Short mmCIF file of all heavy atoms in Angstrom, two decimals:
data_model
loop_
_atom_site.label_atom_id
_atom_site.label_comp_id
_atom_site.label_asym_id
_atom_site.label_seq_id
_atom_site.Cartn_x
_atom_site.Cartn_y
_atom_site.Cartn_z
N HIS A 1 -55.90 -24.51 50.99
CA HIS A 1 -56.91 -23.89 50.15
C HIS A 1 -56.71 -22.38 50.05
O HIS A 1 -57.63 -21.61 50.24
CB HIS A 1 -58.34 -24.25 50.60
CG HIS A 1 -58.64 -25.67 50.44
ND1 HIS A 1 -59.75 -26.28 51.08
CD2 HIS A 1 -58.13 -26.63 49.72
CE1 HIS A 1 -59.83 -27.55 50.73
NE2 HIS A 1 -58.83 -27.77 49.89
N GLY A 2 -55.48 -21.96 49.84
CA GLY A 2 -55.17 -20.56 49.71
C GLY A 2 -55.94 -19.84 48.66
O GLY A 2 -56.18 -20.41 47.61
N LEU A 3 -56.25 -18.59 48.94
CA LEU A 3 -57.00 -17.75 47.94
C LEU A 3 -56.00 -17.03 47.05
O LEU A 3 -54.80 -16.95 47.38
CB LEU A 3 -57.88 -16.78 48.64
CG LEU A 3 -58.93 -17.36 49.61
CD1 LEU A 3 -59.76 -16.27 50.26
CD2 LEU A 3 -59.83 -18.36 48.89
N HIS A 4 -56.45 -16.48 45.95
CA HIS A 4 -55.60 -15.72 45.06
C HIS A 4 -55.07 -14.44 45.80
O HIS A 4 -55.80 -13.97 46.74
CB HIS A 4 -56.37 -15.30 43.80
CG HIS A 4 -56.59 -16.44 42.88
ND1 HIS A 4 -55.59 -17.06 42.17
CD2 HIS A 4 -57.83 -17.08 42.48
CE1 HIS A 4 -56.12 -18.02 41.41
NE2 HIS A 4 -57.40 -18.07 41.59
N GLN A 5 -53.96 -13.92 45.39
CA GLN A 5 -53.41 -12.73 45.95
C GLN A 5 -52.90 -11.82 44.89
O GLN A 5 -52.66 -12.22 43.76
CB GLN A 5 -52.30 -13.07 46.94
CG GLN A 5 -51.12 -13.76 46.34
CD GLN A 5 -50.07 -14.14 47.39
OE1 GLN A 5 -50.09 -13.67 48.50
NE2 GLN A 5 -49.10 -14.99 47.01
N GLN A 6 -52.75 -10.55 45.22
CA GLN A 6 -52.24 -9.55 44.30
C GLN A 6 -50.74 -9.77 44.05
O GLN A 6 -50.05 -10.34 44.90
CB GLN A 6 -52.51 -8.12 44.87
CG GLN A 6 -53.93 -7.73 44.88
CD GLN A 6 -54.40 -7.21 43.52
OE1 GLN A 6 -53.84 -7.56 42.48
NE2 GLN A 6 -55.43 -6.43 43.54
N GLY A 7 -50.27 -9.21 42.94
CA GLY A 7 -48.83 -9.27 42.65
C GLY A 7 -48.52 -10.38 41.62
O GLY A 7 -49.34 -11.29 41.38
N GLY A 8 -47.35 -10.23 40.99
CA GLY A 8 -46.97 -11.21 39.95
C GLY A 8 -46.10 -12.28 40.44
O GLY A 8 -45.54 -12.25 41.55
N VAL A 9 -45.97 -13.33 39.67
CA VAL A 9 -45.10 -14.46 39.85
C VAL A 9 -43.61 -13.99 40.03
O VAL A 9 -43.15 -13.18 39.21
CB VAL A 9 -45.22 -15.52 38.78
CG1 VAL A 9 -44.15 -16.54 38.92
CG2 VAL A 9 -46.63 -16.11 38.77
N GLN A 10 -42.97 -14.49 41.01
CA GLN A 10 -41.62 -14.12 41.28
C GLN A 10 -40.63 -15.29 41.20
O GLN A 10 -41.03 -16.43 41.47
CB GLN A 10 -41.51 -13.47 42.68
CG GLN A 10 -42.36 -12.27 42.91
CD GLN A 10 -42.05 -11.12 41.99
OE1 GLN A 10 -40.89 -10.80 41.78
NE2 GLN A 10 -43.04 -10.48 41.47
N ALA A 11 -39.38 -14.99 40.85
CA ALA A 11 -38.37 -16.06 40.88
C ALA A 11 -38.29 -16.71 42.25
O ALA A 11 -38.35 -15.99 43.25
CB ALA A 11 -37.03 -15.48 40.48
N GLY A 12 -38.20 -18.02 42.30
CA GLY A 12 -38.14 -18.75 43.55
C GLY A 12 -39.49 -19.17 44.13
O GLY A 12 -39.57 -19.87 45.07
N ASP A 13 -40.63 -18.69 43.46
CA ASP A 13 -41.91 -19.03 43.96
C ASP A 13 -42.21 -20.51 43.80
O ASP A 13 -41.81 -21.16 42.82
CB ASP A 13 -43.01 -18.29 43.16
CG ASP A 13 -43.33 -16.90 43.75
OD1 ASP A 13 -42.88 -16.63 44.87
OD2 ASP A 13 -44.05 -16.17 43.06
N THR A 14 -42.88 -21.05 44.81
CA THR A 14 -43.57 -22.35 44.66
C THR A 14 -44.97 -22.06 44.14
O THR A 14 -45.67 -21.16 44.63
CB THR A 14 -43.67 -23.06 46.00
OG1 THR A 14 -42.34 -23.33 46.48
CG2 THR A 14 -44.40 -24.38 45.86
N LEU A 15 -45.40 -22.80 43.14
CA LEU A 15 -46.76 -22.68 42.63
C LEU A 15 -47.55 -24.00 42.92
O LEU A 15 -47.01 -25.05 42.73
CB LEU A 15 -46.76 -22.43 41.12
CG LEU A 15 -45.89 -21.29 40.60
CD1 LEU A 15 -46.05 -21.20 39.09
CD2 LEU A 15 -46.19 -19.98 41.25
N VAL A 16 -48.74 -23.89 43.39
CA VAL A 16 -49.65 -25.06 43.52
C VAL A 16 -50.82 -24.77 42.58
O VAL A 16 -51.50 -23.78 42.67
CB VAL A 16 -50.09 -25.31 44.93
CG1 VAL A 16 -51.10 -26.44 44.95
CG2 VAL A 16 -48.86 -25.71 45.78
N THR A 17 -51.06 -25.72 41.69
CA THR A 17 -52.09 -25.59 40.67
C THR A 17 -53.28 -26.45 40.86
O THR A 17 -53.25 -27.39 41.67
CB THR A 17 -51.48 -25.88 39.29
OG1 THR A 17 -51.28 -27.31 39.22
CG2 THR A 17 -50.16 -25.19 39.06
N GLY A 18 -54.33 -26.14 40.11
CA GLY A 18 -55.48 -27.00 40.12
C GLY A 18 -56.13 -26.93 38.69
O GLY A 18 -56.19 -25.85 38.12
N ALA A 19 -56.53 -28.07 38.17
CA ALA A 19 -57.17 -28.06 36.83
C ALA A 19 -58.19 -29.16 36.82
O ALA A 19 -58.01 -30.24 37.46
CB ALA A 19 -56.14 -28.23 35.75
N TYR A 20 -59.24 -28.96 36.06
CA TYR A 20 -60.25 -29.99 35.88
C TYR A 20 -61.05 -29.76 34.63
O TYR A 20 -61.10 -28.68 34.09
CB TYR A 20 -61.20 -30.04 37.10
CG TYR A 20 -62.03 -28.82 37.29
CD1 TYR A 20 -63.29 -28.72 36.77
CD2 TYR A 20 -61.51 -27.73 38.06
CE1 TYR A 20 -64.05 -27.58 36.93
CE2 TYR A 20 -62.28 -26.62 38.23
CZ TYR A 20 -63.57 -26.49 37.69
OH TYR A 20 -64.36 -25.36 37.89
N GLY A 21 -61.67 -30.88 34.14
CA GLY A 21 -62.63 -30.79 33.08
C GLY A 21 -63.97 -31.24 33.65
O GLY A 21 -64.06 -31.95 34.69
N VAL A 22 -65.03 -30.87 32.95
CA VAL A 22 -66.38 -31.35 33.31
C VAL A 22 -67.05 -31.84 32.03
O VAL A 22 -67.25 -31.07 31.08
CB VAL A 22 -67.25 -30.24 33.93
CG1 VAL A 22 -68.62 -30.81 34.37
CG2 VAL A 22 -66.58 -29.65 35.13
N VAL A 23 -67.43 -33.09 32.02
CA VAL A 23 -68.04 -33.70 30.80
C VAL A 23 -69.25 -34.51 31.24
O VAL A 23 -69.14 -35.42 32.12
CB VAL A 23 -67.07 -34.61 29.99
CG1 VAL A 23 -67.72 -35.28 28.81
CG2 VAL A 23 -65.86 -33.79 29.55
N GLY A 24 -70.39 -34.16 30.68
CA GLY A 24 -71.66 -34.92 31.14
C GLY A 24 -71.94 -34.74 32.53
O GLY A 24 -72.66 -35.54 33.13
N GLY A 25 -71.46 -33.64 33.18
CA GLY A 25 -71.72 -33.41 34.59
C GLY A 25 -70.64 -33.96 35.52
O GLY A 25 -70.66 -33.75 36.69
N TYR A 26 -69.72 -34.82 34.93
CA TYR A 26 -68.71 -35.46 35.73
C TYR A 26 -67.37 -34.75 35.65
O TYR A 26 -66.95 -34.26 34.60
CB TYR A 26 -68.54 -36.93 35.29
CG TYR A 26 -69.72 -37.76 35.68
CD1 TYR A 26 -70.89 -37.77 34.91
CD2 TYR A 26 -69.67 -38.53 36.83
CE1 TYR A 26 -72.02 -38.51 35.33
CE2 TYR A 26 -70.78 -39.28 37.23
CZ TYR A 26 -71.93 -39.27 36.45
OH TYR A 26 -73.02 -40.01 36.85
N GLU A 27 -66.69 -34.67 36.80
CA GLU A 27 -65.48 -33.88 36.98
C GLU A 27 -64.22 -34.77 36.97
O GLU A 27 -64.25 -35.98 37.25
CB GLU A 27 -65.49 -33.09 38.28
CG GLU A 27 -66.63 -32.10 38.37
CD GLU A 27 -66.51 -31.17 39.57
OE1 GLU A 27 -65.47 -31.16 40.19
OE2 GLU A 27 -67.54 -30.53 39.89
N SER A 28 -63.10 -34.11 36.63
CA SER A 28 -61.80 -34.71 36.84
C SER A 28 -61.04 -33.88 37.94
O SER A 28 -61.53 -32.84 38.36
CB SER A 28 -60.94 -34.73 35.55
OG SER A 28 -60.70 -33.38 35.09
N GLU A 29 -59.86 -34.34 38.29
CA GLU A 29 -59.05 -33.58 39.23
C GLU A 29 -57.60 -33.72 38.90
O GLU A 29 -57.09 -34.84 38.68
CB GLU A 29 -59.29 -33.99 40.66
CG GLU A 29 -58.55 -33.21 41.69
CD GLU A 29 -59.02 -33.35 43.13
OE1 GLU A 29 -60.24 -33.29 43.36
OE2 GLU A 29 -58.17 -33.48 43.99
N LEU A 30 -56.88 -32.61 38.83
CA LEU A 30 -55.46 -32.57 38.59
C LEU A 30 -54.86 -31.39 39.35
O LEU A 30 -55.38 -30.28 39.26
CB LEU A 30 -55.20 -32.36 37.08
CG LEU A 30 -53.76 -32.07 36.69
CD1 LEU A 30 -52.88 -33.27 36.86
CD2 LEU A 30 -53.70 -31.56 35.20
N GLU A 31 -53.76 -31.64 40.12
CA GLU A 31 -53.04 -30.57 40.80
C GLU A 31 -51.54 -30.92 40.68
O GLU A 31 -51.17 -32.05 40.66
CB GLU A 31 -53.43 -30.50 42.30
CG GLU A 31 -54.84 -30.11 42.50
CD GLU A 31 -55.35 -30.26 43.96
OE1 GLU A 31 -54.61 -30.87 44.78
OE2 GLU A 31 -56.40 -29.68 44.28
N ARG A 32 -50.81 -29.84 40.55
CA ARG A 32 -49.36 -29.98 40.47
C ARG A 32 -48.66 -28.91 41.29
O ARG A 32 -49.14 -27.83 41.51
CB ARG A 32 -48.85 -29.87 39.02
CG ARG A 32 -49.26 -31.05 38.17
CD ARG A 32 -48.53 -32.31 38.55
NE ARG A 32 -48.88 -33.47 37.75
CZ ARG A 32 -49.81 -34.38 38.05
NH1 ARG A 32 -50.47 -34.25 39.15
NH2 ARG A 32 -50.03 -35.39 37.22
N THR A 33 -47.45 -29.25 41.75
CA THR A 33 -46.54 -28.28 42.41
C THR A 33 -45.45 -27.96 41.39
O THR A 33 -44.82 -28.83 40.82
CB THR A 33 -45.87 -28.94 43.64
OG1 THR A 33 -46.88 -29.32 44.56
CG2 THR A 33 -44.94 -27.98 44.31
N MET A 34 -45.27 -26.67 41.16
CA MET A 34 -44.28 -26.16 40.20
C MET A 34 -43.38 -25.14 40.85
O MET A 34 -43.71 -24.58 41.93
CB MET A 34 -44.95 -25.55 38.94
CG MET A 34 -45.97 -26.51 38.29
SD MET A 34 -46.46 -26.01 36.64
CE MET A 34 -47.25 -24.45 36.98
N PHE A 35 -42.26 -24.88 40.19
CA PHE A 35 -41.31 -23.92 40.76
C PHE A 35 -40.90 -22.91 39.69
O PHE A 35 -40.74 -23.32 38.52
CB PHE A 35 -40.06 -24.59 41.34
CG PHE A 35 -40.37 -25.59 42.37
CD1 PHE A 35 -40.38 -27.01 42.08
CD2 PHE A 35 -40.76 -25.21 43.65
CE1 PHE A 35 -40.67 -27.91 43.07
CE2 PHE A 35 -41.07 -26.13 44.63
CZ PHE A 35 -41.02 -27.51 44.35
N VAL A 36 -40.67 -21.68 40.07
CA VAL A 36 -40.27 -20.64 39.16
C VAL A 36 -38.73 -20.52 39.29
O VAL A 36 -38.22 -20.09 40.30
CB VAL A 36 -40.94 -19.30 39.50
CG1 VAL A 36 -40.50 -18.23 38.51
CG2 VAL A 36 -42.48 -19.48 39.48
N GLY A 37 -38.02 -20.92 38.22
CA GLY A 37 -36.58 -20.95 38.27
C GLY A 37 -36.11 -22.27 38.95
O GLY A 37 -36.89 -23.17 39.20
N GLU A 38 -34.85 -22.35 39.22
CA GLU A 38 -34.28 -23.52 39.82
C GLU A 38 -34.69 -23.62 41.29
O GLU A 38 -34.47 -22.68 42.05
CB GLU A 38 -32.71 -23.52 39.73
CG GLU A 38 -32.21 -23.83 38.35
CD GLU A 38 -32.62 -25.20 37.84
OE1 GLU A 38 -32.57 -26.10 38.67
OE2 GLU A 38 -33.02 -25.30 36.69
#
């Protein structure tokens, strides 16, 4: 549950994402692991 940090995205970074919608009070959950560059 890492917090946001200063600085920009760098080549070689691992990114862990989170996204959700809320409809009628009900939530979804989506998370992905992404990479910057190869």
Side-chain angles (χ1 to χ4, degrees):
H1 291 164
L3 303 179
H4 288 293
Q5 60 183 349
Q6 289 279 22
V9 169
Q10 303 297 318
D13 272 349
T14 299
L15 310 181
V16 173
T17 70
Y20 64 93
V22 184
V23 177
Y26 287 82
E27 299 187 13
S28 65
E29 182 165 314
L30 169 70
E31 295 172 346
R32 289 292 180 264
T33 301
M34 304 195 300
F35 303 103
V36 182
E38 286 299 318

